[in-house]
Amino acid sequence: MLNPRFLSAVSLSGSKLSARVVARGSSGIRCFGVANGYIVSSESTVPSEGLLDLLASEGQLDPGLVEPLGAAAAKRGLPPEHLLLEEKLIQPAEVVGALERLATVRFRAAMLGEGQAAAAAGGVGRGTIRLHLGALLLEQFRALPADAVRQYLGVTSGALKLHAGEDALGALRLQPAELRAARQAEVPLGGAQNERAVRLGGALLALGLATWHP
């Protein structure tokens, strides 16, 4: 189930030079720093959404090291990646990629979770990653069942009118079928429409690049 509050906050953050998106759910708090349309940082209080847990789940870190490394990093007041570099358990060139994958995990969890979310201008600070917000959101919509997107839209008929310019579409790195759908200007929501186009329309609506017409 999609969290409309989080999607609304994401859309609002994309319209600001910099913003901090905070999602609060029963499992914890997730925060995202957004600058010029890019996610530049992410944080989470959810125990399973730490860098060490991610690397262990990917087979890049011995699971038995997660707890002691986490305790050592907390004791010294260091981010986990600093300790991993110090212990030569990760290469410098791998750090940004790992943090971007972690931000993606947290983003998807916030997008599919329940709870409140809000965006406030500023408060981003210096970021270490660079994930295009729109492309990331569309990537998540691609993996959703089309029915889940229709439920988020709240309608089963009418059409979504797309009003994204070429620059905006280019930044989303659309697949050929998605690009063809976007250039048709409208995505019908009833009948035997292309499900991929419905997902694209839902993502563009969440980004403020589409509107619904009955």
Side-chain angles (χ1 to χ4, degrees):
M1 180 178 179
L2 288 163
N3 186 336
R5 298 180 183 89
F6 179 70
L7 293 175
S8 177
V10 165
S11 177
L12 182 60
S13 72
S15 66
K16 302 179 183 298
L17 289 178
S18 66
R20 187 170 176 82
V21 177
V22 179
R24 302 176 184 273
S26 58
S27 59
I29 302 172
R30 302 176 179 96
C31 304
F32 304 90
V34 181
N36 299 308
Y38 286 84
I39 293 178
V40 296
S41 64
S42 77
E43 304 166 45
S44 175
T45 64
V46 181
S48 61
E49 291 179 5
L51 179 61
L52 301 176
D53 297 274
L54 174 74
L55 295 176
S57 71
E58 295 177 340
Q60 298 187 57
L61 182 68
D62 183 341
L65 293 176
V66 171
E67 187 173 341
L69 285 174
K75 183 177 181 179
R76 295 175 57 187
L78 292 175
E81 59 268 26
H82 289 196
L83 189 59
L84 289 169
L85 288 168
E86 187 179 284
E87 297 293 330
K88 295 182 171 53
L89 293 171
I90 191 172
Q91 297 300 314
E94 299 173 330
V95 172
V96 172
L99 291 175
E100 289 183 345
R101 295 195 302 277
L102 182 60
T104 300
V105 168
R106 293 168 173 172
F107 186 91
R108 180 170 179 79
M111 177 176 158
L112 298 179
E114 297 181 353
Q116 301 296 320
V124 173
R126 184 177 180 179
T128 56
I129 62 176
R130 186 174 170 84
L131 288 171
H132 189 273
L133 182 62
L136 176 59
L137 183 66
L138 177 56
E139 179 185 339
Q140 304 311 309
F141 265 82
R142 284 174 180 144
L144 292 170
D147 286 346
V149 179
R150 293 191 189 94
Q151 183 178 7
Y152 158 65
L153 296 173
V155 293
T156 57
S157 61
L160 288 173
K161 184 172 183 179
L162 312 183
H163 47 83
E166 287 295 328
D167 289 344
L169 292 177
L172 294 177
R173 300 192 294 274
L174 299 182
Q175 298 170 357
E178 293 170 337
L179 187 57
R180 288 194 296 272
R183 286 175 172 167
Q184 290 176 0
E186 285 194 353
V187 176
L189 298 177
Q193 67 277 3
N194 186 306
E195 291 190 352
R196 184 176 299 181
V198 172
R199 295 187 187 94
L200 170 66
L204 293 181
L205 183 71
L207 291 168
L209 298 175
T211 52
W212 177 73
H213 288 267

